[in-house]
Amino acid sequence: MTEQINYTTNPNVDWTTPMLDLHGVNKKYLEGTDAEVHAVRNADFKVYKGEMVALMGPSGSGKTTLLNLIGGLTPATSGSIQINDIEVTDLNEEERTKLRRNSIGYIFQHFNLLEFLTAEQNVMLPLLTQGYSDAQAKRRTTMMLRELGLGGRLEHFPSELSGGQEQRVAIGRSLITNPAIILGDEPTGDLDRSAEEGVLNMFRRINKEKKQTLLLVTHSEWIGSKCDRIIRIENGEIVQTGLEVTS
Ligand SMILES: Nc1ncnc2c1ncn2[C@@H]1O[C@H](COP(=O)(O)OP(=O)(O)OP(=O)(O)O)[C@@H](O)[C@H]1O
Ligand SMILES: [Mg+2]
């Protein structure tokens, strides 16, 4: 597939700096068995610094797998995955954890909140891990949760929150450290349109103000239309990068 960088309407994009660079990435689950699933096939694409990109495709097409490969949560069967020039596939477990902690905001499809921590504590945790004082972390967290419409839910545990509220806590946790890249797995899947719009505006604002790069898995064509471009995956194969030559 010939790629031409022709997208210029988002002035925040630095087209000289790929934040994500995938080359010939394959993922096979249960490799070599009769039940082998070739979940990602020869994926080859870039996401540039400051882009806000949607990743779309049918259920089971490999979106979560692709995000897990990029975040170093699942090992690739073959291929190269670079984040900001760091080869993820070369890193050991500890280095991958460090990369995630320092550079990646990960919003999981199923939230993965810590059940024994309150909303506030869940969001604060990444800051405390980075060495912020309790008071500093609390201040930032309160602001973030207020902005997400959860100012009245700071002391609630995940089991006391609705699905959409849990999702917003997960979003807060991923954004609180201002990571260079945000990987969102259906980050607005459990939200109604008004909450979805609020989160989308927040994503756009951090993209604009802090030049953060976002890759957002979504089933919503509406969200897709609000992103800079749409990468489409079908049956494990990238069928559209949104940067194809159109002439
Ligand atoms: N741990 C696993 N072991 C074996 N097969 C898996 C595993 N995880 C995912 N798969 C398979 O890999 C394929 C891609 O799954 P994936 O979760 O990446 O899809 P998805 O695009 O995120 O779907 P959805 O939109 O439903 O979340 C599916 O066929 C799935 O059954
Ligand atoms: Mg998924």
Side-chain angles (χ1 to χ4, degrees):
M1 190 184 292
T2 330
E3 280 198 356
Q4 179 180 287
I5 302 161
N6 55 6
Y7 189 85
T8 51
T9 53
N10 181 352
N12 308 311
V13 180
D14 175 358
W15 295 108
T16 62
T17 310
M19 270 308 280
L20 282 181
D21 195 347
L22 277 72
H23 271 295
V25 176
N26 283 283
K27 176 63 186 180
K28 293 176 184 169
Y29 289 110
L30 303 169
E31 209 174 342
T33 67
D34 288 346
E36 180 176 288
V37 178
H38 199 162
V40 171
R41 300 161 184 264
N42 218 16
D44 232 272
F45 64 87
K46 293 184 178 68
V47 175
Y48 293 86
K49 186 169 190 292
E51 276 198 288
M52 181 161 145
V53 176
L55 174 62
M56 301 189 68
S59 186
S61 57
K63 303 178 300 297
T64 296
T65 302
L66 199 51
L67 237 53
N68 288 345
L69 291 167
I70 294 169
L73 296 167
T74 306
T77 305
S78 62
S80 151
I81 302 169
Q82 293 188 353
I83 296 189
N84 216 358
D85 284 337
I86 296 168
E87 180 61 51
V88 177
T89 58
D90 283 347
L91 302 180
N92 63 30
E93 177 103 37
E94 196 183 330
E95 291 166 331
R96 282 200 303 271
T97 305
K98 210 167 143 197
L99 176 73
R100 266 200 306 279
R101 185 187 301 154
N102 296 333
S103 311
I104 303 176
Y106 208 103
I107 306 162
F108 292 92
Q109 188 165 8
H110 303 294
F111 318 144
N112 287 10
L113 297 176
L114 296 172
E115 291 297 327
F116 54 91
L117 296 182
T118 63
E120 182 180 48
Q121 289 165 337
N122 264 287
V123 174
M124 271 171 73
L125 194 61
L127 289 176
L128 299 178
T129 331
Q130 284 194 349
Y132 280 78
S133 75
D134 214 60
Q136 282 172 320
K138 251 192 153 90
R139 206 165 35 244
R140 275 177 69 161
T141 299
T142 307
M143 271 168 54
M144 171 70 77
L145 284 172
R146 275 201 197 127
E147 197 172 349
L148 284 162
L150 293 171
R153 294 290 183 279
L154 300 183
E155 303 302 326
H156 288 236
F157 290 93
S159 60
E160 300 166 339
L161 297 171
S162 73
Q165 290 169 339
E166 281 190 89
Q167 183 149 47
R168 277 175 283 159
V169 174
I171 291 170
R173 179 181 58 181
S174 78
L175 301 182
I176 196 75
T177 54
N178 292 326
I181 178 157
I182 289 132
L183 302 174
D185 201 348
E186 300 187 34
T188 62
D190 283 61
L191 304 182
D192 62 24
R193 177 51 75 88
S194 124
E196 188 179 45
E197 251 186 89
V199 167
L200 199 74
N201 288 339
M202 197 164 167
F203 285 155
R204 195 41 102 182
R205 186 168 47 71
I206 61 168
N207 168 254
K208 193 171 165 195
E209 288 173 3
K210 304 195 173 109
K211 312 271 184 279
Q212 282 162 289
T213 308
L214 296 100
L215 180 60
L216 306 173
V217 169
T218 181
H219 284 286
S220 151
E221 290 288 341
W222 182 76
I223 297 263
S225 73
K226 298 288 175 192
C227 289
D228 298 332
R229 63 177 160 117
I230 300 175
I231 296 176
R232 289 191 195 269
I233 183 168
E234 279 173 21
N235 199 14
E237 222 173 296
I238 303 294
V239 294
Q240 176 193 303
T241 64
L243 289 174
E244 289 85 1
V245 182
T246 45
S247 63

